[in-house]
C-alpha cells in the first residue's frame, strides 16, 4: 500500500488538530532498570516497520480526499537527552502529518531507571493501538537483549482487519439492517445539537488555537491499591453494572460536587461526557496499530446526580441501549455523511464553542496478554521491569480536563490531564482528589 485514503474518523482527527491542542496520544513507560539504548532503538525500528500508520504522512488539501502515503524508508529517532517539564515529560507538542510521520520517541533517564515516552498522532492510533505498539516494543526489546529465549515471537498481524479499521465488521448487509436502529441515533443527534453543554470550569475565554501551550503535557496519575481495585470491580458486579458504568457514574458525581464546591455553574447546566467505544471485534485482535473507535455522549444535569443509585441505573440502561441498537456506530457514520457534504468535515469543525464537558476513556486491563514473564504482576522485558504506564489523552478547545482510567498489574490507575491554561494546579488537584475519593467510596461499598 503506497497511498490509501483516510477513514472518516482519521480525517476528523486531522481536521481537529491544532498547535494549541495537539491531537496526539502520549504514553510513558516507567521502567525499573536501565535500557540498552541500541536494543531499544532496534525494537522501535522493528515496530515502525510492522505498523504502517506509524510511518505515513498525509497528502491532499482540506475539502478534498486525503490520503495516507507510506514512507517505507523513514526511521524514527529516539531522543535520549531531551529536556523535560515539571511533570517529567519531554516537549510532546504538535505534529504536522503533512510534513512528517506522526510518531515520536524519547528516553528519559532517572536515578533508578529509564522512562520511555511515545507520542503518536491520534489519526493513526487509539489507546488499543498504542497498547499493541507497547507490547511489540517490549517483546522486540526482550528478544534483542538476548533474553528472547522462551519469549513468544511477535504476533502475526492481520492486514485484512486493518483495511476495515473504519468500521470493523460493518458489511453492507449489516448496515442496511441497522438503518432502523440508527433512527434512534438520529434522535440523539438532535438532542446533542439542541443542548448546550458546559465547561468543567464554567465560561472562559477561547484559547488561540495557533499558539502552543507553554508546557505540554501536564498529567497527574494516581493508583488505587490492589484491595481498592478488587473492591471496585466487586462493587460493580454486585450492582449488576459494568466497571465502565460505575466509573462514569462516579465521575458525574465527583464533577457535580467539585463544581458546587468551587462555586461553578448552576442547576441548569448540562454536563456532557464523551466516551470512546472500541469498534474492534474479538477477531480483530491482530489488527495493526490504528484508530478504530467511535464515541458516544452522555448528558446529565446536577439534579440527575442527586440520587447516586438512580444515576447508576440510568447510565446502565443508556449504555445497554447503545450496545443493543448498535448506536456506537452513529458518530462515525455521521462523520462519513458530513465529509460528503459541501466543504467536508473542515467546514463543520467548531473551535469557538463548547461541544462537550470532558472525555472519559476507560481502557480496561492493559498488556494483560503480553507474552512476557511477570514479577509481582509487572511485565519483565529483558533486563528491565515495567513498573507503570501513563496514558495521556488529548485536550480539546473548551475541554478543561480529560480522564483516562485503566488497570495494570491489578491496580486501577486514574490519570487526569488538566488544561492548566484554564485550571490552576490547586483547583485541578481538587477535581482529581474528588474523583478518587468517590471511586474509593464505591470500592468500600
Amino acid at each position: 500500500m503506497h497511498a490509501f485514503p483516510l477513514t472518516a474518523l482519521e480525517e476528523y482527527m486531522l481536521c481537529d488538530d491544532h498547535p494549541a491542542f495537539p491531537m496526539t496520544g502520549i504514553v510513558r513507560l516507567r521502567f525499573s532498570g536501565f535500557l540498552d539504548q541500541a536494543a531499544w532503538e532496534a525494537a522501535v525500528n522493528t515496530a515502525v516497520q510492522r505498523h504502517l500508520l506509524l510511518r505515513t504522512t498525509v497528502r491532499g488539501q482540506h475539502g478534498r480526499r486525503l490520503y495516507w502515503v507510506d514512507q517505507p524508508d523513514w526511521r524514527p529517532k529516539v531522543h535520549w537527552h531531551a529536556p523535560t517539564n515539571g511533570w517529567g515529560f519531554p516537549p510532546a507538542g504538535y505534529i504536522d502529518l503533512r510534513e512528517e510521520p506522526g510518531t515520536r520517541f524519547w528516553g528519559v533517564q532517572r536515578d533508578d531507571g529509564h522512562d520511555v515516552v511515545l507520542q503518536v498522532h491520534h489519526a493513526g492510533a487509539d489507546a488499543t493501538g498504542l497498547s499493541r505498539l507497547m507490547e511489540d516494543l517490549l517483546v522486540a526489546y526482550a528478544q534483542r537483549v538476548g533474553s528472547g529465549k522462551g519469549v513468544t515471537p511477535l504476533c502475526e498481524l492481520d492486514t485484512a482487519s486493518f483495511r476495515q479499521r473504519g468500521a470493523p465488521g460493518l458489511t453492507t448487509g449489516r448496515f442496511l439492517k441497522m438503518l432502523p436502529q440508527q433512527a434512534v441515533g438520529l434522535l440523539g443527534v438532535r438532542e446533542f445539537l439542541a443542548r448546550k453543554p458546559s465547561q468543567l470550569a464554567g465560561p472562559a475565554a477561547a484559547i488561540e488555537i495557533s499558539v502552543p501551550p507553554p508546557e505540554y503535557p501536564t498529567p497527574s496519575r494516581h493508583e488505587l491499591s490492589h484491595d481498592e481495585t478488587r473492591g471496585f470491580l466487586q462493587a460493580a458486579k454486585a450492582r449488576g453494572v459494568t466497571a465502565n458504568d460505575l466509573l462514569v457514574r462516579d465521575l458525574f458525581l465527583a464533577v457535580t460536587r467539585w463544581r458546587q464546591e468551587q462555586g461553578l455553574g448552576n442547576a441548569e447546566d448540562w454536563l456532557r461526557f464523551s466516551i470512546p467505544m472500541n469498534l474492534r471485534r474479538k477477531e480483530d485482535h491482530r489488527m495493526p496499530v490504528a484508530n478504530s473507535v467511535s464515541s458516544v455522549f452522555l448528558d446529565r444535569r446536577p439534579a440527575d446526580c442527586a440520587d447516586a443509585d438512580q444515576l447508576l441505573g440510568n447510565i446502565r440502561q443508556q449504555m445497554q441501549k447503545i450496545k443493543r441498537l448498535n448506536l456506537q456506530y452513529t458518530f462515525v457514520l455521521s462523520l462519513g455523511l458530513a465529509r460528503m457534504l459541501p466543504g467536508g468535515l473542515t467546514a463543520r469543525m467548531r473551535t469557538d464553542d463548547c461541544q462537550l464537558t470532558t472525555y472519559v476513556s476507560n481502557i480496561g486491563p492493559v498488556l494483560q496478554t503480553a507474552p512476557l514473564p511477570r514479577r509481582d504482576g509487572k511485565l519483565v522485558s529483558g533486563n528491565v521491569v515495567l513498573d507503570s504506564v501513563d496514558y495521556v489523552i488529548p485536550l480539546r478547545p473548551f475541554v478543561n480536563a480529560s480522564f483516562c482510567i485503566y488497570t495494570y498489574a491489578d491496580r486501577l490507575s486514574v490519570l487526569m490531564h488538566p488544561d492548566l491554561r484554564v485550571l490552576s494546579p490547586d483547583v485541578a488537584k481538587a477535581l482529581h482528589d474528588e474523583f478518587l475519593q468517590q471511586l474509593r467510596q464505591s470500592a468500600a461499598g
Side-chain angles (χ1 to χ4, degrees):
M1 272 190 263
H2 178 67
F4 53 100
L6 275 70
T7 67
L9 181 68
E10 291 166 352
E11 187 173 331
Y12 169 79
M13 295 293 180
L14 185 66
C15 292
D16 196 25
D17 188 19
H18 313 284
F21 300 95
M23 183 58 86
T24 60
I26 300 169
V27 172
R28 177 168 64 183
L29 305 174
R30 178 151 286 187
F31 294 104
S32 287
F34 297 95
L35 293 164
D36 178 318
Q37 295 184 13
W40 184 258
E41 290 172 2
V44 165
N45 284 325
T46 296
V48 168
Q49 291 308 300
R50 280 169 57 81
H51 299 286
L52 186 61
L53 291 184
L54 297 181
R55 63 175 191 266
T56 50
T57 54
V58 172
R59 75 178 183 198
Q61 301 296 320
H62 286 304
R64 300 178 185 176
R65 195 68 187 267
L66 300 174
Y67 287 84
W68 292 110
V69 180
D70 187 13
Q71 308 294 338
D73 298 326
W74 180 77
R75 297 293 183 272
K77 177 177 175 59
V78 180
H79 301 275
W80 292 102
H81 304 291
T84 57
N85 63 17
W87 291 261
F89 284 84
Y94 178 70
I95 298 177
D96 187 347
L97 282 176
R98 292 174 174 79
E99 299 294 329
E100 61 177 315
T103 311
R104 293 172 178 167
F105 295 88
W106 293 268
V108 178
Q109 185 167 321
R110 309 184 321 274
D111 291 339
D112 58 348
H114 270 118
D115 291 346
V116 166
V117 177
L118 334 170
Q119 182 185 19
V120 182
H121 200 286
H122 214 3
D126 55 19
T128 301
L130 287 172
S131 296
R132 169 83 275 160
L133 170 59
M134 286 190 293
E135 180 177 319
D136 283 3
L137 288 169
L138 294 170
V139 172
Y141 177 75
Q143 294 172 338
R144 287 280 178 175
V145 295
S147 60
K149 185 177 180 180
V151 175
T152 301
L154 292 164
C155 81
E156 183 178 347
L157 299 176
D158 182 4
T159 56
S161 66
F162 176 78
R163 293 187 180 94
Q164 299 298 319
R165 67 195 182 281
L170 189 58
T171 61
T172 301
R174 188 181 176 199
F175 172 71
L176 293 174
K177 290 180 181 178
M178 282 170 42
L179 281 178
Q181 299 173 339
Q182 292 303 309
V184 178
L186 293 177
L187 292 175
V189 171
R190 186 175 67 179
E191 290 181 346
F192 180 94
L193 296 173
R195 293 171 180 169
K196 170 75 174 169
S198 297
Q199 297 178 62
L200 282 171
I207 296 171
E208 173 52 54
I209 63 173
S210 64
V211 179
E215 291 190 288
Y216 189 90
T218 56
S220 61
R221 178 180 60 85
H222 292 281
E223 290 181 340
L224 300 189
S225 69
H226 287 103
D227 288 344
E228 288 169 337
T229 300
R230 189 180 307 111
F232 184 85
L233 297 175
Q234 289 174 345
K237 184 177 180 180
R239 298 178 188 202
V241 300
T242 67
N244 190 65
D245 294 338
L246 191 53
L247 285 165
V248 172
R249 192 284 303 263
D250 283 358
L251 186 57
F252 270 119
L253 293 176
V255 167
T256 300
R257 282 200 302 266
W258 172 80
R259 295 181 92 230
Q260 291 170 346
E261 292 164 358
Q262 299 292 330
L264 298 168
N266 58 62
E268 300 304 313
D269 287 346
W270 284 104
L271 301 176
R272 174 172 293 161
F273 291 2
S274 174
I275 303 174
M277 294 191 72
N278 189 1
L279 295 180
R280 297 170 181 83
R281 303 159 298 167
K282 289 182 179 179
E283 56 264 42
D284 297 317
H285 71 280
R286 292 188 292 114
M287 181 188 292
V289 171
N291 192 330
S292 188
V293 300
S294 187
S295 292
V296 297
F297 304 92
L298 272 59
D299 293 357
R300 296 295 187 275
R301 281 178 164 164
D304 300 319
C305 303
D307 186 320
D309 289 337
Q310 186 177 47
L311 174 63
L312 180 60
N314 289 339
I315 289 172
R316 173 181 175 272
Q317 291 174 6
Q318 186 173 0
M319 294 302 294
Q320 285 184 333
K321 181 178 180 180
I322 287 168
K323 295 170 185 175
R324 185 176 68 253
L325 299 180
N326 292 301
L327 301 184
Q328 67 270 30
Y329 288 101
T330 301
F331 179 65
V332 291
L333 292 174
S334 67
L335 293 179
L337 176 62
R339 74 171 176 174
M340 291 190 294
L341 299 175
L345 285 171
T346 305
R348 285 152 186 86
M349 303 304 296
R350 297 287 301 275
T351 59
D352 59 350
D353 197 12
C354 181
Q355 300 295 303
L356 57 93
T357 305
T358 190
Y359 292 96
V360 191
S361 180
N362 175 26
I363 304 174
V366 298
L367 299 172
Q368 193 173 32
T369 60
L372 290 166
R374 295 175 188 266
R375 185 180 302 162
D376 297 326
K378 298 177 180 180
L379 289 174
V380 179
S381 176
N383 63 324
V384 296
V385 177
L386 179 61
D387 266 343
S388 64
V389 182
D390 295 303
Y391 282 86
V392 186
I393 62 176
L395 295 169
R396 311 309 317 134
F398 300 99
V399 174
N400 308 145
S402 57
F403 296 86
C404 191
I405 302 101
Y406 49 95
T407 303
Y408 173 68
D410 298 322
R411 295 186 65 173
L412 187 72
S413 284
V414 182
L415 187 142
M416 184 181 78
H417 189 197
D419 191 339
L420 297 183
R421 294 165 293 187
V422 178
L423 302 178
S424 72
D426 287 344
V427 170
K429 182 178 184 301
L431 173 56
H432 203 175
D433 288 347
E434 192 75 57
F435 187 24
L436 290 164
Q437 178 183 341
Q438 178 60 49
L439 293 173
R440 290 186 171 114
Q441 182 177 328
S442 292

